[in-house]
Amino acid sequence: MAGNTDMVAFVLARLADEEQVALAAGGDRWRCPADVPGEVHDRKGGVAFTVRDRGFDRHIALQDPARTLERIETHRVLVGEYVEVAGLDTDRPAQDFRSGRAVGLGFAVRQLAAEYAAHPDYQARWLPRFIQ
């Protein structure tokens, strides 16, 4: 995994950053009450956001801290699966199951890293590889 260690560390660090933000926001699930369009409420019924356009409220509610924490956990599972075979994720993989798994998981982890491409520590060499 030597060549991919820094990419894995980068993704895990970004997930940890997001986790801290979600926890600081209370880790709650948000909702949009039907009787108050344009408002996004937290678990206790407090107004988390008020927006003038109804389309924004539903979108914002889907980005709630609880959902963010769930997404982070699923991404960590994916990264953990990749770590097991990352050493086999090469430009010229063998033609076996483990190597195929490594390349497939590597592609997925590179996609996760690409979500943070604007971060100053992102490296272009982590762009997903398209191999035939």
Side-chain angles (χ1 to χ4, degrees), residues 15-81:
L15 293 174
D17 292 345
E18 282 193 66
E19 180 179 46
Q20 290 307 308
V21 170
L23 290 171
D28 292 334
R29 184 151 323 271
W30 294 343
R31 60 189 179 79
C32 298
D35 57 332
V36 282
E39 289 187 4
V40 177
H41 291 206
D42 65 15
R43 175 176 50 88
K44 298 172 189 158
V47 177
F49 292 94
T50 301
V51 289
R52 298 200 187 277
D53 186 333
R54 234 176 150 171
F56 289 116
D57 61 355
R58 297 192 112 27
H59 173 72
I60 291 169
L62 285 174
Q63 310 310 312
D64 69 27
R67 186 173 177 145
T68 297
L69 294 171
E70 291 165 356
R71 180 184 50 77
I72 288 167
E73 187 55 33
T74 61
H75 287 184
R76 284 182 174 146
V77 168
L78 191 148
V79 172
E81 290 293 313

Side-chain angles (χ1 to χ4, degrees), residues 91 103 107 110-111 127-132:
D91 288 334
V103 170
F107 182 84
R110 283 178 176 73
Q111 288 292 101
L127 285 168
R129 294 187 299 237
F130 298 93
I131 303 172
Q132 294 203 26

Side-chain angles (χ1 to χ4, degrees), residues 93-114:
Q95 299 295 315
D96 61 15
F97 176 79
R98 282 180 48 81
S99 296
R101 183 169 182 257
V103 170
L105 287 168
F107 182 84
V109 172
R110 283 178 176 73
Q111 288 292 101
L112 294 179

